[in-house]
Amino acid sequence: MARSSVLLYLSVVLFIVLLLSFAPNRPNHPHRRLKLRSAMSGHDRRSISFDPIIADIERRREDREWERTNFFPQGHAPAMEAQPEWEDFMDAEDYINDEERFNVTDRIVKLFPKIDVGPADGFVSSDELAEWNLRQVEKEVMHRTQRDMELHDRNHDGFISFEEYEPPSWVHRYHDDNSTGDQVGWWKEDHFNASDVDGDGLLNLTEFNDFLHPANTNSPKLIQWLSKEEIRERDKDKDGKLNFQEFFNGLFDLIRRDDIYNLTHESDASTEAPAKKLFSQLDHNNDGYLSEDELIPVIGDLHPSEHYYAKQQADYVTSEADTDKDGRLNLKEMIENPYVFYSAIITEEDDYNYHDEFR
């Protein structure tokens, strides 16, 4: 009996030791102060908040500033309502830098299974991280669209008419400086009509979101409009299409493709050769010009969607945190490299600045 008790005790001890050995340890890395992005500062779209709590705090701060700007321009805004999680802190940044209340290691442990979903195999791939980033930024973009819809929907019917929409102030300034108005097509009625998928003369929330963020659209009408705009802006001889020089001088350098980038950044390499090759590939009827339809294959390269930036950030973060270089991240790697994921909000005083990687 005593022997059995000893064996049972040893088995329990061994089990606990094994459990502790596989459990992720809290790394002994120095705390680095996190900083929220400034409200209404025109968030760099290349910088995506990894943590939904951070995103929610930033969104609420931005909403507050937006309300002051649009509804209380004289500064007579109502008192701040209580905020969840961080309501006890005068400054939200104090909350995210209080390790007892907001610990980046604990947050990563909690978020890991929410990211590891395709499939849930104990590893986070770059594609899984990109999808996570995309969900965060799509939520942010749609929130801003809903806010703008509230501002412009004057009759409160849940739709935006062209007459209701007031373009940003910079459009009017640009129009005043350019009497022809050629460069303000972004806010003209044809843009509105291209966003109006069902053709009822009104934009619902989804259509209004596409109107404000056409690079993210899957609508053929809006993609066609984007192509038309690219040609209109660069068509020097006004013949409704692009010849090679118009393509090469005004558009080719804007195309974001790895194969194009590698060709044009080789030492002493001529950029005209890869430009001619791409032009030839796009010129399906071989007439020496690019039409609206022929330019469509590169519209996604000229106007990168949020998915492009989400994947770009995911690839970079994965390469930085992937200690064993197997092309994916396990929980241990993410825990040991927390500030790679939170680097979009590290203070400028830190020796690492995430934004520099994408300039």
Side-chain angles (χ1 to χ4, degrees):
M1 182 71 178
R3 184 178 179 182
S4 298
S5 299
V6 171
L7 288 175
L8 178 62
Y9 174 78
L10 291 175
S11 299
V12 171
V13 170
L14 181 60
F15 174 77
I16 293 174
V17 170
L18 289 173
L19 185 63
L20 291 175
S21 67
F22 283 102
N25 296 320
R26 181 168 294 183
N28 185 27
H29 49 63
H31 178 72
R32 303 172 70 180
R33 184 168 178 83
L34 302 180
K35 184 176 178 63
L36 295 168
R37 295 178 295 180
S38 299
M40 302 298 289
S41 61
H43 292 175
D44 188 338
R45 67 186 300 179
R46 298 169 295 181
S47 159
I48 301 169
S49 291
F50 167 76
D51 194 315
I53 288 181
I54 298 290
D56 182 63
I57 293 174
E58 290 180 337
R59 191 157 46 241
R60 290 172 182 271
R61 281 161 50 107
E62 185 178 300
D63 282 349
R64 186 65 177 173
E65 188 61 33
W66 181 83
E67 288 175 1
R68 287 195 184 101
T69 301
N70 292 284
F71 296 110
F72 305 99
Q74 305 305 317
H76 303 299
M80 175 79 77
E81 70 273 14
Q83 305 294 348
E85 301 262 6
W86 45 280
E87 60 184 352
D88 295 334
F89 290 79
M90 291 297 292
D91 187 340
E93 285 184 8
D94 291 339
Y95 169 77
I96 64 174
N97 285 285
D98 185 316
E99 290 197 77
E100 294 300 318
R101 298 287 296 272
F102 186 89
N103 184 279
V104 292
T105 299
D106 294 340
R107 289 298 299 159
I108 288 175
V109 170
K110 186 172 183 178
L111 293 176
F112 186 89
K114 298 181 180 181
I115 304 171
D116 175 30
V117 294
D121 56 2
F123 296 94
V124 168
S125 67
S126 180
D127 287 341
E128 286 175 320
L129 191 54
E131 285 301 313
W132 171 260
N133 289 341
L134 184 60
R135 290 199 298 273
Q136 307 316 305
V137 75
E138 283 180 339
K139 184 176 181 180
E140 181 176 316
V141 168
M142 183 56 75
H143 177 77
R144 292 180 183 177
T145 296
Q146 290 172 324
R147 196 174 59 194
D148 285 341
M149 193 162 193
E150 177 185 347
L151 179 66
H152 295 289
D153 182 15
R154 299 171 190 168
N155 62 2
H156 307 291
D157 64 349
F159 298 91
I160 301 293
S161 67
F162 184 70
E163 290 72 23
E164 284 180 310
Y165 186 74
E166 179 70 16
S169 58
W170 63 264
V171 174
H172 297 296
R173 292 196 299 270
Y174 195 97
H175 189 275
D176 292 340
D177 295 337
N178 297 267
S179 58
T180 62
D182 274 352
Q183 301 301 317
V184 294
W186 201 258
W187 307 104
K188 285 183 178 178
E189 195 166 4
D190 58 347
H191 177 196
F192 183 94
N193 293 335
S195 306
D196 181 15
V197 176
D198 56 15
D200 64 354
L202 301 169
L203 301 185
N204 59 33
L205 181 62
T206 300
E207 293 169 332
F208 189 51
N209 189 55
D210 277 356
F211 174 78
L212 296 178
H213 311 283
N216 299 326
T217 188
N218 293 318
S219 167
K221 284 177 64 176
L222 204 47
I223 292 172
Q224 186 79 33
W225 175 82
L226 284 171
S227 183
K228 178 181 178 180
E229 281 296 294
E230 287 296 337
I231 290 180
R232 183 188 62 79
E233 291 182 12
R234 294 166 176 80
D235 180 18
K236 301 301 182 183
D237 58 13
K238 306 301 179 185
D239 62 353
K241 50 193 175 182
L242 299 182
N243 57 40
F244 175 73
Q245 285 305 317
E246 290 168 334
F247 170 78
F248 180 63
N249 295 326
L251 192 144
F252 177 68
D253 284 341
L254 301 177
I255 296 177
R256 307 186 185 196
R257 278 188 180 177
D258 290 339
D259 55 339
I260 298 297
Y261 180 89
N262 293 334
L263 284 171
T264 57
H265 287 74
E266 294 175 355
S267 58
D268 301 324
S270 169
T271 58
E272 192 165 318
K276 286 183 176 178
K277 180 178 180 181
L278 180 59
F279 186 90
S280 178
Q281 292 172 349
L282 296 173
D283 182 18
H284 295 302
N285 62 2
N286 298 313
D287 66 348
Y289 297 93
L290 296 183
S291 65
E292 293 174 17
D293 290 337
E294 289 173 325
L295 197 61
I296 285 177
V298 294
I299 287 300
D301 301 301
L302 293 168
H303 298 276
S305 67
E306 297 296 352
H307 183 272
Y308 171 89
Y309 293 108
K311 186 65 166 71
Q312 186 184 52
Q313 181 167 319
D315 288 344
Y316 174 79
V317 168
T318 300
S319 68
E320 288 294 299
D322 183 17
T323 306
D324 60 13
K325 304 304 177 186
D326 65 348
R328 56 188 183 176
L329 302 177
N330 56 44
L331 180 57
K332 181 173 182 289
E333 288 173 323
M334 292 180 68
I335 289 175
E336 291 178 348
N337 298 277
Y339 294 109
V340 173
F341 300 92
Y342 287 88
S343 57
I345 52 171
I346 288 178
T347 61
E348 294 178 358
E349 287 75 17
D350 287 303
D351 57 351
Y352 172 76
N353 190 331
Y354 173 81
H355 292 289
D356 290 341
E357 298 297 329
F358 292 96
R359 284 176 179 164

